Amino acid sequence: MREVPLRVVHQGDRTLAFVPVHVEGEGPFMFALDTGASVSVVDDDVADRAGLERTGEKSAVSGILGTGRVPVARVEQWRLGDVRLDPGLVTVIDLDVPGSPGMIQGLLGSDVLSDFGSVTVDYGDGVLRLPAR
């Protein structure tokens, strides 16, 4: 079992769980765990800082901010805490939330989390537990 530090943030009636993610050697960036997201998301400022190249593809997305088509980028090297993640594609979106700019720098979606088979989010101890792969 591997453990990654988890920062729990309460915003009114919402609870967000953040984990540190390094992208192409940059970071750590604070990514919210989002099992409801089928594809992981990187904020456009983070993508630029990490030097992520857009593939030229556009991905359809829908969420609380509406629907649209957004750029796709390839990530070769990234890690969740000290746990290396497989290379993959992410969508690039401006994630700045009015009143909380820079708070969410990415979303770690089910495309990445499902690779572990199961994960345990321990809000009380502030730990994300991942099985060894």
Side-chain angles (χ1 to χ4, degrees), residues 72-122:
V72 174
R74 178 149 187 87
V75 180
E76 293 296 332
Q77 296 180 18
W78 57 335
R79 59 186 165 90
L80 167 59
D82 292 329
V83 179
R84 290 199 179 281
L85 301 173
D86 293 336
L89 299 176
V90 295
T91 56
V92 180
I93 301 174
D94 179 2
L95 291 174
D96 274 346
V97 177
S100 300
M103 181 178 162
I104 300 176
Q105 297 175 302
L107 302 174
L108 203 59
S110 60
D111 58 327
V112 172
L113 296 172
S114 65
D115 287 346
F116 295 98
S118 67
V119 298
T120 301
V121 181
D122 188 331

Side-chain angles (χ1 to χ4, degrees), residues 6-129:
L6 183 73
R7 188 178 81 182
V8 179
V9 175
H10 302 282
Q11 284 189 323
D13 61 347
R14 295 185 335 167
T15 300
L16 300 172
F18 290 94
V19 290
V21 175
H22 286 81
V23 180
E24 304 296 357
E26 297 290 328
F29 302 107
M30 295 313 291
F31 277 47
L33 294 179
D34 188 351
T35 58
S38 58
V39 178
S40 294
V41 176
V42 174
D43 181 74
D44 54 357
D45 290 337
V46 171
D48 291 343
R49 185 168 152 197
L52 296 184
E53 289 192 32
R54 299 348 182 238
T55 64
E57 297 175 62
K58 296 274 187 173
S59 178
V61 296
S62 62
I64 60 170
L65 299 176
T67 60
R69 297 186 61 74
V70 297
V72 174
R74 178 149 187 87
V75 180
E76 293 296 332
Q77 296 180 18
W78 57 335
R79 59 186 165 90
L80 167 59
D82 292 329
V83 179
R84 290 199 179 281
L85 301 173
D86 293 336
L89 299 176
V90 295
T91 56
V92 180
I93 301 174
D94 179 2
L95 291 174
D96 274 346
V97 177
S100 300
M103 181 178 162
I104 300 176
Q105 297 175 302
L107 302 174
L108 203 59
S110 60
D111 58 327
V112 172
L113 296 172
S114 65
D115 287 346
F116 295 98
S118 67
V119 298
T120 301
V121 181
D122 188 331
Y123 290 93
D125 286 343
V127 173
L128 174 68
R129 291 189 180 90

